[in-house]
Amino acid sequence: MVEQKTIQRNTQKVGVIFNITADVQLLIGLVLYFFTSAIIKAAFQDFGAAMKTPEIRFYAVEHILVMIIGMCYSILENPKQKRLILTLKSTNFL
């Protein structure tokens, strides 16, 4: 019984550390994206021309979109993992 609580506590700690790290990475990435990226500044000057160039379109639209979708997935997946742990615990699987 003690091992189950230790495993659950360690799993929660890893989840919290993962979420904190992901959130900090998102904030740093957004600052770099909007305030320091010369590619993005150039793309926003003439967005129509930027969409015609695949390399600039990748950085201006596709990369940020996929990164935000990935962050949303990781944020939404954490409660599902907690529910799974509780379900497995209630069925005496853990």
Side-chain angles (χ1 to χ4, degrees):
M1 190 61 138
V2 174
E3 293 177 16
Q4 291 176 359
K5 289 182 181 179
T6 305
I7 291 172
Q8 185 177 7
R9 197 171 324 134
N10 289 341
T11 304
Q12 287 176 344
K13 286 180 185 178
V14 169
V16 168
I17 291 169
F18 171 76
N19 280 338
I20 290 170
T21 306
D23 291 341
V24 169
Q25 182 178 355
L26 175 67
L27 290 174
I28 291 170
L30 289 174
V31 167
L32 290 173
Y33 183 82
F34 286 111
F35 298 113
T36 64
S37 176
I39 295 173
I40 301 306
K41 287 180 183 179
F44 286 144
Q45 293 296 323
D46 188 8
F47 206 70
M51 291 298 105
K52 294 177 184 174
T53 309
E55 295 84 11
I56 297 176
R57 182 180 63 233
F58 172 76
Y59 287 109
V61 177
E62 297 168 6
H63 181 75
I64 189 77
L65 180 66
V66 172
M67 294 300 113
I68 290 175
I69 289 171
M71 282 301 299
C72 291
Y73 178 76
S74 72
I75 290 168
L76 294 175
E77 198 59 33
N78 192 22
K80 289 182 183 180
Q81 292 173 357
K82 288 180 183 177
R83 283 194 298 267
L84 177 63
I85 289 171
L86 292 175
T87 302
L88 293 176
K89 185 179 176 184
S90 67
T91 60
N92 293 327
F93 189 75
L94 286 179

